[in-house]
Amino acid sequence: MPELPEVETIRKGLEKKVRGKRVNKVIIRSEKAIKAPSSPDEFVKKIEGRKLSEIKRKGKYLILELDCKDSLIIHLKMTGRLIYSSEGEELSYARVIFIFPDKTQLNFTDMRGFGGLWLVPDEEFSNIPLLKSMGPEPLENDFTLARFRGLLKGKKGKIKSLLMEQTFIAGVGNIYSQEALFLSGIHPERNASMLIDREVESLYNNLLAVLREALSYGGSSIDAYVDLNGKKGSYESHLRVYGRQKKNCPRCGAVIRKIKVSGRGTCFCPVCQK
DNA sequence: CAATCGTCCTGCGGGC
DNA sequence: TGCCCGCAGGACGATT
């Protein structure tokens, strides 16, 4: 499931491969993938002939600005992929295809079909409430320890659920919330209001560290994630607790446990994380 | 109001 | 061994 490091890897790929290109043709194979506008025909008409300008990211959303007032928003959810290929490739898998004049194309594929594309007026994002209420970007310079402390103030929920809330911090999901908590020695079910100063500082440092580290490896290929060239990330073999239930803790050797936190699978070391 | 639950979907793997 | 049930989960809407 692509989180910040994976989506950012794709964003960089898009910047390199498709930024500045004009979209000659749009093919929709799965109308369900088009979330806005309600008419897929309108989606096609508004994009064909337009040029892709800036490629941005907000949390786990990709924002492809067109050379008009509209932006193409993409969320990959669990199994969505964006694959850049030469024209004609990947056609049988793709739900939506964007074809460029240089005989290349951008394919949106999505096995489970939770992902989606929105074409919305620039910066309005009216159909996507979360884009308006998105929390701060953890890897930006203004995300300081003081700001993190401020965000936590008055928060009462389980720390792991809080980390995954996109309105709290942008782009953190099930993988990196678990990794950051492990590195900080904090049990995922601890109440956010009960963390002491030292733990908050540790969590801040480790969250940033694990996101940066994963980004440097091109993300983790959990589920279906690959980059724009169809290449897997290489961080999944470095994950310390995610998906490692019943295996040994890399730090103390104890058996890693798996529990449900707010209905989501969560791995942790019962010895290291208190 | 905040927390939790069900929903969408389908490939795969844990468990019998 | 082989098969199949249920797990996997981001975000949202409904519910309590």
Side-chain angles (χ1 to χ4, degrees), chain A residues 3 60 130 133-136 138 143 147-174 176-178 180-181 186-195 200 203 207 261-264 266:
Chain A
E3 300 179 23
K60 302 173 195 169
L130 179 54
S133 56
M134 188 73 71
F143 189 73
R147 186 148 183 220
F148 185 55
R149 284 197 201 283
L151 285 173
L152 275 167
K153 199 157 275 176
K155 289 294 191 311
K156 285 182 294 194
K158 292 171 182 169
I159 186 61
K160 195 254 184 173
S161 307
L162 193 58
L163 287 175
M164 285 178 64
E165 246 173 60
Q166 301 303 295
T167 51
F168 180 66
I169 298 176
V172 179
N174 207 28
Y176 299 109
S177 58
Q178 292 177 46
L181 287 168
I186 299 169
H187 192 290
E189 290 183 299
R190 282 278 296 285
N191 192 302
S193 65
M194 301 301 280
L195 297 179
V200 173
L203 184 54
L207 179 63
V261 178
S262 303
R264 293 295 174 239
T266 304

Side-chain angles (χ1 to χ4, degrees), chain A residues 106-168:
Chain A
L106 182 64
N107 309 274
F108 172 73
T109 75
D110 191 0
M111 192 221 299
R112 275 179 240 181
F114 290 180
L117 291 75
W118 294 255
L119 185 71
V120 297
D122 196 23
E123 300 302 331
E124 273 187 33
F125 305 146
S126 49
N127 290 300
I128 313 166
L130 179 54
L131 272 180
K132 285 185 161 180
S133 56
M134 188 73 71
E137 288 290 334
L139 295 187
E140 281 183 9
N141 290 335
D142 58 357
F143 189 73
T144 58
L145 173 59
R147 186 148 183 220
F148 185 55
R149 284 197 201 283
L151 285 173
L152 275 167
K153 199 157 275 176
K155 289 294 191 311
K156 285 182 294 194
K158 292 171 182 169
I159 186 61
K160 195 254 184 173
S161 307
L162 193 58
L163 287 175
M164 285 178 64
E165 246 173 60
Q166 301 303 295
T167 51
F168 180 66

Side-chain angles (χ1 to χ4, degrees), chain A residues 193-244:
Chain A
S193 65
M194 301 301 280
L195 297 179
I196 61 174
D197 282 357
R198 181 179 54 76
E199 289 173 323
V200 173
E201 184 171 357
S202 173
L203 184 54
Y204 169 83
N205 287 326
N206 286 316
L207 179 63
L208 268 53
V210 78
L211 290 173
R212 288 201 182 102
E213 195 181 26
L215 188 53
S216 77
Y217 281 87
S220 307
S221 284
I222 301 294
D223 275 342
Y225 172 74
V226 290
D227 70 12
L228 210 58
N229 301 310
K231 195 167 159 281
K232 288 188 171 191
S234 58
Y235 193 63
E236 66 273 13
S237 59
H238 299 263
L239 295 173
R240 290 146 178 107
V241 284
Y242 180 87
R244 299 194 66 249

